[in-house]
Amino acid sequence: MDKPKNYELRAMHATLCQAIADPTRIALLYELGDGRKHVSQLVGSLQLPQATVSRHLKILRDRSLVATEREGTFVYYSLVYPEVLAALDIMRSVMHTNLSEQSSLANAIYFTQGEG
Amino acid sequence: MDKPKNYELRAMHATLCQAIADPTRIALLYELGDGRKHVSQLVGSLQLPQATVSRHLKILRDRSLVATEREGTFVYYSLVYPEVLAALDIMRSVMHTNLSEQSSLANAIYFTQGEG
DNA sequence: AGAATATATCCGCATTTCCGAATATTAGAA
DNA sequence: TTCTAATATTCGGAAATGCGGATATATTCT
């Protein structure tokens, strides 16, 4: 029993990565990077329907990326693993590098053709 | 023009994260962490149909996470941004922490009930 | 109990993603 | 050119995912 366990672990790894692979959830995670916030606050900052925000929060909660504390009628959400933001930052910097390299490439082609 | 641009960036960020949110692609990225490999080698190590491997490689290539060099009939793939593995490592360690905490919790419940 | 507020879940529908067999393309050898 | 090996792409269908209005649940206040 080695192959199946590796496969399962990889599937879980992917499931966890998938949790952070959505624009709304990325926004939620960065919002929570500032500290805990309740649902209404998150709805306010993301400007999305409450059902949408709750649905995404549930996805993060199911994967233990966020934790909840109820206070009266409010439910506060907070990051369980702030390192997740570091992972997101890496991917974001890769994206930016990519973007600038693409535009450099575009310029290179443009000027090369322009000069002939 | 600020909201729309932020939205676009977040969408791109998510698209990039989605590239790493699949078990096959995670396996591919870690395989390439050892150095460049051609498709047949990857098919050999992952034990998946060639079409499947090529399809996933295309997804990584489209997002510039891997680059290709042709040598004869072989096409070698390599990582463009090895930092991506660091991001994957973070998520993996979060997963492991989660797993051990879940089993601690399971034990705690088990023993608590056992002692009653 | 009844009203009000905050949050979670349900539902139907549209879109995306994945799979793998089959097929197309590419490069080198005969 | 024809054959062969390596890789890429296409196709149809199954499964997963996202959306947001409507509704359910939970908590507090009166």
Side-chain angles (χ1 to χ4, degrees):
Chain A
M1 76 165 166
D2 185 59
K3 275 280 171 48
K5 182 163 276 182
N6 278 339
Y7 178 78
E8 273 179 51
L9 285 176
R10 231 189 278 290
M12 295 182 57
H13 195 173
T15 297
L16 206 55
C17 288
Q18 194 165 1
I20 67 168
D22 175 274
T24 300
R25 293 195 291 273
I26 288 174
L28 284 172
L29 291 166
Y30 276 115
E31 280 293 324
L32 295 178
D34 298 340
R36 67 176 211 161
K37 291 181 182 163
H38 59 68
V39 181
S40 297
Q41 289 177 309
L42 294 167
V43 168
S45 29
L46 300 210
Q47 298 268 87
L48 288 174
Q50 178 263 322
T52 300
V53 171
S54 273
R55 186 164 25 80
H56 284 289
L57 285 171
K58 174 176 172 49
I59 291 172
L60 296 174
R61 190 169 12 101
D62 286 348
R63 290 156 176 75
S64 303
L65 293 184
V66 298
T68 58
E69 308 166 271
R70 182 177 271 276
E71 276 179 30
T73 56
F74 293 96
V75 176
Y76 284 88
Y77 280 78
S78 54
L79 289 186
V80 173
Y81 303 102
E83 318 95 90
V84 168
L85 293 185
L88 279 172
D89 284 342
I90 290 173
M91 297 310 286
R92 186 163 56 180
S93 91
V94 164
M95 172 187 71
H96 282 126
T97 306
N98 244 338
L99 283 176
S100 53
E101 281 181 8
Q102 278 177 225
S103 67
S104 313
L105 178 60
N107 278 341
I109 291 173
Y110 177 77
F111 285 121
T112 299
Q113 290 185 335
E115 289 174 337
Chain B
M1 70 164 172
D2 185 62
K3 275 281 171 48
K5 182 164 277 179
N6 278 338
Y7 178 78
E8 273 178 52
L9 286 177
R10 201 153 276 150
M12 295 182 58
H13 195 175
T15 298
L16 206 55
C17 289
Q18 194 165 2
I20 66 168
D22 175 274
T24 299
R25 294 195 292 272
I26 288 175
L28 285 172
L29 291 167
Y30 277 114
E31 280 292 326
L32 295 177
D34 299 338
R36 65 176 213 161
K37 290 179 181 164
H38 58 69
V39 182
S40 298
Q41 288 177 309
L42 295 167
V43 168
S45 28
L46 299 210
Q47 298 268 85
L48 289 174
Q50 176 264 323
T52 299
V53 171
S54 273
R55 190 161 21 79
H56 284 288
L57 285 170
K58 175 176 170 48
I59 290 172
L60 296 174
R61 190 168 13 100
D62 286 347
R63 289 157 176 74
S64 303
L65 293 184
V66 299
T68 58
E69 308 166 273
R70 169 154 240 148
E71 276 178 30
T73 57
F74 293 96
V75 176
Y76 284 88
Y77 279 78
S78 54
L79 289 186
V80 173
Y81 303 102
E83 316 96 91
V84 168
L85 293 185
L88 280 172
D89 284 343
I90 291 173
M91 297 312 285
R92 186 164 57 181
S93 91
V94 164
M95 172 188 71
H96 282 128
T97 305
N98 246 338
L99 283 176
S100 53
E101 281 182 7
Q102 277 177 227
S103 66
S104 313
L105 178 60
N107 278 340
I109 291 173
Y110 178 77
F111 286 122
T112 298
Q113 290 186 335
E115 289 172 339

